[in-house]
Amino acid sequence: MSRFWSAVVHGLTPYVPGEQPKLDNLVKLNTNEHPCGPSPKVLEAIRAATGDGLRLYPDPNADALKAALARHHGVRPEQIFVGNGSDEVLAHAFMALLKHERALWFPDITYSFYPVYCGLYDIEPRIVPLAEDFSIRVEDYLPRGDERAGAIIFPNPNAPTGRLLALPEVERIVSANPDAVVLVDEAYVDFGGDSAIALVDRHPNLLVTRTFSKSRSLAGLRVGYAVGDAALVEALERIKNSFNSYPLDRLAIAGAVASVEDEDYFRASCAQVVATRERLVAELQALGFEVLPSAANFIFARHPARDGAELTAALRKRAIIVRHFKAARIDQFMRITVGTDAQCAVLVTALREILGG
């Protein structure tokens, strides 16, 4: 602490990112990175963009990337906003679209950056409990008389649970709250869900955020985007251009465009993760774990006879890193990233030894 800190800094409880440990022979299954590398065409595009042009500023509007994403999703470029990772996109959305007199509604078990942004931007949160099975109940997000949201945000699939809300249920929430922005955070949707981007032309209050960090295997490039009504996107642009006009560098734009254009690689790599996930779920269930239904590139699992923190620590001793949360209701769960087949085999073998010991 320092006497030079502002009151805002004193009041913050910052987000804690997943650990990036430096251990030998590490099996890293804690931050939901893609087990496959990015498309070779991405690497070619980045190499081609590395030259004398780096002395020049990048396109502040990233028009080439917006055009590629618009073609990919079947929307207009003016419906696309891009930023330095989806966390920056979310940060701008909290300021531009989610800060109102009425509270912002989101689940009690969800992406832990949401309450951090509420503290940073002085937004009143309303925490909505998940059901006993850790699913989102649509009815909890529907207005009741004067009880209505200023805005709503939730991930789909949810994190860290991995549970998916079906698209018709998402639309029920959006339709029932026409005077509130509903932000659907789709960081993981490519691993098993249908995107709400299909709904944006019917609902001007819907904003969908996406990232290149998960399904496109570009966590190190920091590219995120949002899709919605042009008026919502304009609000994000106004915030962005009051904060940092150049959020994406030349290499990020080139690599992201190449990723969007390599549809075959994208689909094949996602399918590989899904296949590995299903095998891992079956193997953990055979060891007695309860595994929540997952549509993400991770699973959320607990063992009825062993403490979640103890299992996490025992895996770490074997240089296997998974994510454990101390929060109420989920402190017995481990969030396990779907790694390569070989990494998952090492994990299962280690758990079998730990449970048998």
Side-chain angles (χ1 to χ4, degrees), residues 245-264:
S245 296
Y246 302 98
L248 294 184
D249 61 46
R250 286 175 171 269
L251 306 185
I253 293 171
V257 169
S259 177
V260 174
E261 292 178 345
D262 195 351
E263 183 72 9
D264 290 342

Side-chain angles (χ1 to χ4, degrees), residues 27-296:
V27 177
K28 188 173 183 294
L29 303 174
N30 67 321
T31 49
N32 302 338
E33 292 139 330
H34 202 299
C36 305
S39 161
K41 294 181 180 179
V42 170
L43 304 182
E44 293 172 8
I46 292 174
R47 281 193 290 267
T50 303
D52 183 65
L54 290 180
R55 66 185 179 82
L56 303 173
Y57 284 106
D59 176 5
N61 295 317
D63 286 331
L65 179 55
K66 289 181 180 180
L69 287 168
R71 290 191 297 270
H72 178 73
H73 290 298
V75 297
R76 304 185 311 279
E78 57 266 31
Q79 293 179 275
I80 304 284
F81 176 81
V82 298
N84 188 255
S86 62
D87 286 337
E88 182 182 78
V89 176
L90 287 168
H92 291 341
F94 267 72
M95 174 62 77
L97 300 168
L98 306 185
K99 182 179 173 67
H100 299 284
E101 291 184 5
R102 294 181 184 269
L104 171 63
W105 295 12
F106 55 83
D108 63 334
I109 300 169
T110 194
Y111 186 29
S112 52
F113 231 135
Y114 298 165
V116 173
Y117 286 143
C118 285
L120 180 62
Y121 296 122
D122 192 25
I123 297 172
E124 179 188 354
R126 175 181 167 180
I127 309 303
V128 182
L130 296 177
E132 288 299 314
D133 64 356
F134 299 99
S135 62
I136 290 175
R137 289 179 295 231
V138 172
E139 291 72 18
D140 292 342
Y141 293 86
L142 305 183
R144 290 178 293 275
D146 289 335
E147 187 181 8
R148 58 187 63 243
I152 295 169
I153 184 172
F154 57 89
N156 197 38
N158 196 11
T161 66
R163 298 210 60 150
L164 180 74
L165 190 64
L167 194 56
E169 298 296 273
V170 173
E171 188 164 24
R172 282 183 62 200
I173 295 174
V174 177
S175 298
N177 293 275
D179 297 323
V181 170
V182 178
L183 195 160
V184 182
D185 182 353
E186 290 187 345
Y188 300 101
V189 75
D190 293 322
F191 298 107
D194 294 321
S195 176
I197 290 174
L199 307 176
V200 296
D201 283 337
R202 298 206 298 270
H203 300 285
N205 62 319
L206 172 62
L207 187 75
V208 180
T209 58
R210 306 288 296 269
T211 180
F212 280 67
S213 296
K214 310 303 182 183
S215 59
R216 295 192 178 274
S217 194
L218 289 171
L221 208 59
R222 311 309 302 134
V223 180
Y225 64 102
V227 185
D229 185 81
L232 300 185
V233 170
E234 182 182 358
L236 297 176
E237 296 284 1
R238 289 173 65 87
I239 294 292
K240 184 264 284 187
N241 288 319
S242 301
F243 176 74
N244 176 14
S245 296
Y246 302 98
L248 294 184
D249 61 46
R250 286 175 171 269
L251 306 185
I253 293 171
V257 169
S259 177
V260 174
E261 292 178 345
D262 195 351
E263 183 72 9
D264 290 342
Y265 185 91
F266 168 67
R267 292 188 178 277
S269 63
C270 286
Q272 181 174 332
V273 172
V274 171
T276 302
R277 181 187 70 203
E278 299 311 304
R279 285 193 296 271
L280 179 59
V281 168
E283 290 172 331
L284 291 184
Q285 289 174 333
L287 293 176
F289 282 89
E290 174 194 354
V291 184
L292 296 188
S294 176

